[in-house]
Amino acid sequence: HVDQQALIRQAAVARNERRIAPDGQNLIPVLHTLYAEDREFKRSVDSAMRAAFGKEFEELVFPPAADQRIQLRLRWRSLKTAQSAADLSDGTIRFLLLLAIFLSPKPGDLIAVDEPEVGLHPKMFPIVAEFAAEASRRTQVVVTTHSPQFLDAFSNNVPTTSVMEWLDGETRLSVVDAEELQRWLREYTLGALFRSGELEGMV
């Protein structure tokens, strides 16, 4: 949940956390810990934010709040004061959440994200796809999507592709033949194959 009342937007207790919880609501402590202590994490987050928002983005800051809590704020070149998490768009919060998940230096045994493209601007898709592919070198990553545009974002890192179908009252998961998929990808994008229904014909 990223609505205005969600914990993900509110000041949080300043504690050492390095992995996003399943509900995502501990985003601020995780960002605070890793952004301050892990140079590679900070570099990657800053790079991703500038890829999405251009030179307008400067950095994340975590000013103190009451009761040993910290806030999340974003510094923008054109704004005199940093923008609080409460005022960020849903898409920006979701984007930061996905970055924190995929850039985790010590992820769990499995990262599973349902429809990561929801609420994001399409220009963010290639950034998310790149970091999802990078995370798959450290752990197993499973992403589900109904978006041809998001599938096209994996043009340089074609993932193992599976098709889910509802047949005879049950969900069936079938892996697309990798060699056949590579032949099709010489002429079409993964998103185009999804739109045309050709992916289902490869299983």
Side-chain angles (χ1 to χ4, degrees), residues 92-103:
T92 301
I93 290 287
R94 290 179 186 275
F95 186 60
L96 284 168
L97 180 60
L98 290 169
L99 293 179
I101 291 169
F102 290 131
L103 290 171

Side-chain angles (χ1 to χ4, degrees), residues 15 28 84:
R15 54 183 178 267
I28 292 177
S84 73

Side-chain angles (χ1 to χ4, degrees), residues 102 124-134 150 152-155 157:
F102 290 131
M124 295 175 173
F125 294 177
I127 304 168
V128 173
E130 177 185 346
F131 286 120
E134 179 64 29
F150 186 67
D152 283 343
F154 287 92
S155 58
N157 299 287

Side-chain angles (χ1 to χ4, degrees), residues 50-122:
R50 291 190 184 107
F53 298 101
K55 295 180 180 179
E56 178 68 14
F57 171 78
E58 289 190 329
E59 65 176 343
L60 306 182
V61 291
F62 302 90
D67 301 325
Q68 298 183 331
R69 293 175 178 268
I70 49 169
Q71 306 170 56
L72 167 63
R73 293 180 179 270
L74 273 64
R75 282 193 178 138
W76 306 97
R77 293 186 187 277
S78 62
L79 296 180
K80 293 182 178 179
T81 58
Q83 185 180 26
S84 73
D87 296 328
L88 296 175
S89 69
D90 289 359
T92 301
I93 290 287
R94 290 179 186 275
F95 186 60
L96 284 168
L97 180 60
L98 290 169
L99 293 179
I101 291 169
F102 290 131
L103 290 171
S104 174
K106 293 183 179 180
D109 295 331
L110 171 68
I111 294 174
V113 183
D114 183 34
E115 298 184 348
E117 74 280 0
V118 172
L120 300 188
H121 191 284

Side-chain angles (χ1 to χ4, degrees), residues 25 27 43 53 56 63 73 89 130 136 164 169 174 178 185:
Q25 299 303 301
L27 173 64
R43 185 198 65 78
F53 298 101
E56 178 68 14
R73 293 180 179 270
S89 69
E130 177 185 346
S136 72
M164 296 180 68
S174 305
L185 290 175

